[in-house]
Amino acid sequence: MTAREVAIVGVGTSMFGKQDATVEALVADAVDEALADASLAPADLDAVVVGTVFAYPGTAHRALRAAGIAGIPITTVENACASGTLALHRAAEAVRRGEHGTVLALGFEKMSDWISGPIPTDPRDADAAAGLVLPAIYAMTASRHMHRHGVRAEQLAEISVKNHRNALDNPRAQYRGDLTVDDVLASRPIADPLTLLQCSPISDGAAAAIVQAGDRADAHQPRVRLLASAFESGAVWPGPDDRVWNAELIERTTRAALRGADRTIADVDVIELHDAFTIGEIVTTEAMGLAAEGEGADLASSGATWRGGSIPVNPSGGLLSRGHPLGATGLAQLAELHWQLTGRADARQVPGARLALLETMGGSVGGLSGNGCIVAALETW
Amino acid sequence: MTAREVAIVGVGTSMFGKQDATVEALVADAVDEALADASLAPADLDAVVVGTVFAYPGTAHRALRAAGIAGIPITTVENACASGTLALHRAAEAVRRGEHGTVLALGFEKMSDWISGPIPTDPRDADAAAGLVLPAIYAMTASRHMHRHGVRAEQLAEISVKNHRNALDNPRAQYRGDLTVDDVLASRPIADPLTLLQCSPISDGAAAAIVQAGDRADAHQPRVRLLASAFESGAVWPGPDDRVWNAELIERTTRAALRGADRTIADVDVIELHDAFTIGEIVTTEAMGLAAEGEGADLASSGATWRGGSIPVNPSGGLLSRGHPLGATGLAQLAELHWQLTGRADARQVPGARLALLETMGGSVGGLSGNGCIVAALETW
């Protein structure tokens, strides 16, 4: 590999879920595992990029110092639910552009310390004040897809069934369950038609990756290349629109990543994407080009996105079941795909996976204020 | 100029102080002024990097959308008090490395909405819980300098007198006053020996800069080049140490920036640096190489760092008097230096200023958890 190619030479995560572990302990679990995976030590790192949303200033430095990492540039980035993915993207760009040779991308969130229900909203956000928080936006998206494309409530629920079933084989997942469609539909309503089991949970966790210039990559390290990553934000909300929220942005970002990777969606073997809510997975598979608009639910119902299907989506259990510790999520997605591409996903393994896509949507707490999507293409060789 | 040289082609700021203006209004003031200064429109921007500390997710997107900016990558970075400076550094690296051609660097903070006294601390930060918050650390630094180097309380106060006097000519400054040393020493004690007028205030404000690849820079735009910027973090705190907190980091970062710029400290005409507390300015001038260790107070007492002296420091009034809206500060420092280098600093003008240094220290709220320093060298031609 050349200096400007980007290798992901190690990944690691903590357990996910509501847990007593400190941020320091969660971060150490992720960082220590990633360094060991890459056969590297803290002194081999040139820089760190951290994704986190709600941490106090200094939390990242404190946790990194406890893990033996200090004295190098530490950049903290925030992009809502895609903060960890933005850390990955920034680390990859730093390597690709020759700024640094070996960069730790780290994401963490300790949500259970201070949130028990929905994420608190900014009192100055007019969207949020009007009730347009994320569960409401996703619920409206679901209603529109049901009305317009004949999607059934049972099809929404099937996404949750699939992802919880995938998580049965993921020992680090927050929730594992052999649920039925009826179980999902019978759970507590959150924002009609979305029920509790169709919403990603409050989670604690950390995830990390070592991003390295290709010419430094070593034959003993795992062989995963980040072919391309793309980062885009939404246009000004146009008001009445023919498409649901985020569809245009996900489509634009996916196309940019595939163009950068010189691959097509048909080449992809496995995907981790942003299923913060069940309808999110459906809309995202459509926007990524796996199904025509309105046909994402049928794609899932056909079994194609299940493990053993033609294009498995969220084999880890996704945000719905592995959990959604905001800053950690993107790098947890990366870890799953890394394990898939290197044949280390145990019972979750997608046979012969060589090309993977990762998609995370950062939407703000008041739903429409801003959104930033990242899509990355990863390949083994 | 070449593609990989970095031009700062426009700057802008809001007013600084505790004010009723919304984040949207503050950001619009800064962004509109910076775009007009650069003779550019929102559509000319390729990306945005935002520095802010305490804003809810989505705040930056919301304010940018109100200013007509959306649909391009928007990265939010946090580095405590140096968050705006990190936005500048990231924007400059993006241009220098060919990632983007024209980048808006934006910093903002609306502190008065929710803080009336000291910045709240993280209950999980052991340093903060032990009382080792920033005013305490700076106070201990002051006590040590007084004990070890014979610095007098009056010399600490002189820094505040100087910076408040500089701000008399800065119509955007938060506090302007023709204070005496006695006024400063008689103000309310905060952390002995530091009194209220030796501590930077809670502020609201925004500042922005347009960072552009050299080959795009236009003859009609202001001629300021960012020769180099350096970003470093502190080593693991070694316990008993012969130097005060941050001195090693500031020295290391300044040397890296000057090396990158191929200039020496003796070449510098004007400096904006991180005077969050009076002792901070003294220690920083020492660590930057303007005075030997322990002689920074005498340097100021000699008049050298006053306007009209050999190396004016904080002609804007600095954090102490212009104000310290965390995310905005670094870009407010940049704006002042930009005006100085282009002969637009009105009554604050340092005659013939051609080379400027900017220094900001990001220290976390619990003092020792982490710190990240940025130093940038700017030149006109």
Side-chain angles (χ1 to χ4, degrees):
Chain A
M1 288 178 69
T2 69
R4 297 306 170 89
E5 289 180 296
V6 178
I8 311 293
V9 297
V11 293
T13 80
S14 68
M15 297 291 287
F16 298 105
K18 294 169 189 163
Q19 46 193 319
D20 291 333
T22 61
V23 168
E24 285 87 341
L26 295 170
V27 165
D29 283 350
V31 169
D32 291 351
E33 186 180 25
L35 284 169
D37 196 24
S39 307
L40 293 175
D44 296 315
L45 300 173
D46 300 319
V48 185
V49 187
V50 183
T52 188
V53 180
F54 289 109
Y56 276 77
T59 305
H61 289 77
R62 191 171 79 231
L64 286 164
R65 187 178 58 166
I69 298 166
I72 55 178
I74 298 168
T75 298
T76 299
V77 299
E78 183 269 314
N79 184 37
C81 301
S83 295
T85 331
L86 183 53
L88 169 67
H89 177 72
R90 293 297 344 148
E93 285 299 310
V95 166
R96 196 186 302 286
R97 309 281 174 179
E99 185 180 354
H100 299 296
T102 305
V103 182
L104 170 66
L106 168 67
F108 67 85
E109 212 76 44
K110 187 80 170 68
M111 301 174 75
S112 71
D113 277 357
W114 58 278
I115 307 178
S116 57
I119 294 174
T121 57
D122 182 349
R124 291 172 298 267
D125 186 317
D127 296 333
L132 213 50
V133 294
L134 290 170
I137 291 186
Y138 278 103
M140 292 195 300
T141 299
S143 296
R144 187 164 175 181
H145 254 51
M146 293 171 83
H147 170 71
R148 196 160 181 168
H149 302 294
V151 172
R152 290 170 290 107
E154 291 74 15
Q155 289 184 293
L156 294 174
E158 280 173 14
I159 301 293
S160 177
V161 171
K162 169 177 76 70
N163 290 353
H164 280 86
R165 206 162 293 172
N166 285 347
L168 280 173
D169 291 319
N170 185 350
R172 302 188 188 188
Q174 179 165 4
Y175 293 117
R176 296 181 287 276
D178 197 4
L179 304 174
T180 65
V181 164
D182 285 346
D183 293 333
V184 174
L185 293 178
S187 64
R188 183 156 60 86
I190 298 296
D192 188 65
L194 301 176
T195 57
L196 182 68
L197 290 170
Q198 301 189 53
C199 306
S200 55
I202 297 298
S203 307
D204 306 322
I210 313 292
V211 183
Q212 196 165 58
D215 61 343
R216 290 197 188 185
D218 180 299
H220 302 293
Q221 293 172 322
R223 295 189 171 202
V224 173
R225 197 146 68 105
L226 190 143
L227 294 172
S229 63
F231 173 38
E232 302 285 342
S233 74
V236 172
W237 186 247
D241 187 11
D242 207 45
R243 303 188 69 180
V244 294
W245 190 61
N246 283 341
E248 183 275 334
L249 175 58
I250 298 166
E251 181 181 283
R252 173 157 49 96
T253 312
T254 303
R255 286 182 177 172
L258 287 170
R259 195 165 52 238
D262 196 22
R263 301 288 186 277
T264 71
I265 191 71
D267 298 326
V268 177
D269 299 311
V270 57
I271 294 176
E272 287 275 316
L273 60 74
H274 195 78
D275 60 326
F277 301 88
T278 49
I279 183 64
E281 177 163 320
I282 291 170
V283 168
T284 302
T285 55
E286 296 170 6
M288 292 180 85
L290 296 170
E293 187 174 322
E295 295 177 14
D298 291 340
L299 179 78
S301 297
S302 78
T305 58
W306 289 61
R307 242 158 62 198
S310 57
I311 179 65
V313 170
N314 288 328
S316 70
L319 282 58
L320 286 168
S321 314
R322 185 192 56 239
H324 185 25
L326 309 176
T329 285
L331 289 158
Q333 295 174 304
L334 176 69
E336 175 68 16
L337 294 175
H338 199 275
W339 293 325
Q340 291 285 351
L341 294 175
T342 51
R344 302 185 293 173
D346 301 328
R348 304 187 308 284
Q349 184 66 46
V350 174
R354 296 182 57 84
L355 182 67
L357 280 190
L358 182 168
E359 182 270 348
T360 328
M361 175 59 68
S364 64
V365 176
L368 297 182
S369 289
N371 48 1
C373 184
I374 297 167
V375 176
L378 300 138
E379 196 173 59
T380 189
W381 72 91
Chain B
M1 287 178 70
T2 69
R4 297 306 169 90
E5 289 181 295
V6 178
I8 311 293
V9 296
V11 294
T13 80
S14 68
M15 297 291 287
F16 298 105
K18 294 170 188 163
Q19 47 192 320
D20 290 333
T22 61
V23 168
E24 286 86 341
L26 295 170
V27 165
D29 283 350
V31 169
D32 291 353
E33 185 180 26
L35 284 169
D37 196 25
S39 306
L40 293 176
D44 296 315
L45 300 173
D46 300 319
V48 184
V49 187
V50 183
T52 188
V53 180
F54 289 109
Y56 275 77
T59 305
H61 289 77
R62 191 172 78 232
L64 286 164
R65 187 177 58 166
I69 298 167
I72 54 178
I74 298 167
T75 297
T76 299
V77 300
E78 184 269 313
N79 184 39
C81 301
S83 294
T85 331
L86 183 53
L88 169 66
H89 177 72
R90 293 299 342 148
E93 285 299 309
V95 166
R96 196 186 302 286
R97 309 279 174 182
E99 185 180 353
H100 299 296
T102 304
V103 182
L104 170 66
L106 168 67
F108 67 85
E109 212 75 44
K110 187 79 169 70
M111 300 174 75
S112 71
D113 276 357
W114 58 278
I115 307 179
S116 57
I119 294 174
T121 57
D122 182 350
R124 292 172 298 269
D125 186 318
D127 296 333
L132 214 49
V133 295
L134 290 170
I137 291 185
Y138 278 102
M140 292 195 300
T141 299
S143 296
R144 187 163 175 182
H145 254 50
M146 292 171 84
H147 170 71
R148 197 160 180 169
H149 302 294
V151 171
R152 289 170 291 109
E154 291 74 15
Q155 289 184 294
L156 295 174
E158 281 172 14
I159 302 293
S160 177
V161 170
K162 168 177 76 72
N163 291 352
H164 280 86
R165 207 162 292 172
N166 285 346
L168 279 173
D169 291 319
N170 185 349
R172 301 188 187 187
Q174 179 164 5
Y175 293 117
R176 296 180 289 276
D178 196 5
L179 304 174
T180 65
V181 164
D182 285 346
D183 292 335
V184 174
L185 293 178
S187 65
R188 184 156 59 87
I190 298 296
D192 189 65
L194 302 176
T195 56
L196 182 68
L197 290 171
Q198 300 189 52
C199 306
S200 56
I202 298 297
S203 308
D204 306 323
I210 313 293
V211 183
Q212 195 166 58
D215 62 343
R216 290 198 188 185
D218 179 298
H220 302 293
Q221 293 172 322
R223 297 190 170 199
V224 173
R225 197 145 68 104
L226 191 144
L227 294 171
S229 63
F231 173 37
E232 303 284 343
S233 73
V236 172
W237 186 247
D241 187 12
D242 207 45
R243 304 188 70 181
V244 294
W245 190 61
N246 284 341
E248 183 276 332
L249 175 59
I250 299 166
E251 181 180 283
R252 174 157 47 98
T253 312
T254 303
R255 285 182 178 172
L258 287 170
R259 197 165 50 238
D262 195 22
R263 299 289 187 278
T264 70
I265 191 70
D267 298 327
V268 178
D269 299 311
V270 57
I271 295 176
E272 286 276 316
L273 60 74
H274 196 77
D275 60 325
F277 301 88
T278 49
I279 183 65
E281 177 164 321
I282 291 170
V283 168
T284 302
T285 54
E286 295 170 6
M288 293 181 84
L290 295 170
E293 187 174 322
E295 296 178 11
D298 291 340
L299 179 78
S301 296
S302 78
T305 58
W306 289 61
R307 243 158 63 199
S310 57
I311 178 66
V313 170
N314 289 328
S316 70
L319 282 59
L320 286 168
S321 315
R322 186 191 55 239
H324 184 26
L326 308 177
T329 286
L331 289 157
Q333 293 175 306
L334 176 69
E336 175 68 15
L337 294 175
H338 199 275
W339 292 324
Q340 291 285 350
L341 294 174
T342 51
R344 302 185 294 172
D346 300 328
R348 304 186 308 284
Q349 185 66 47
V350 174
R354 296 182 58 82
L355 182 68
L357 280 190
L358 182 168
E359 183 270 348
T360 329
M361 173 60 67
S364 65
V365 176
L368 298 182
S369 288
N371 49 1
C373 184
I374 297 167
V375 176
L378 300 138
E379 195 172 60
T380 189
W381 72 90

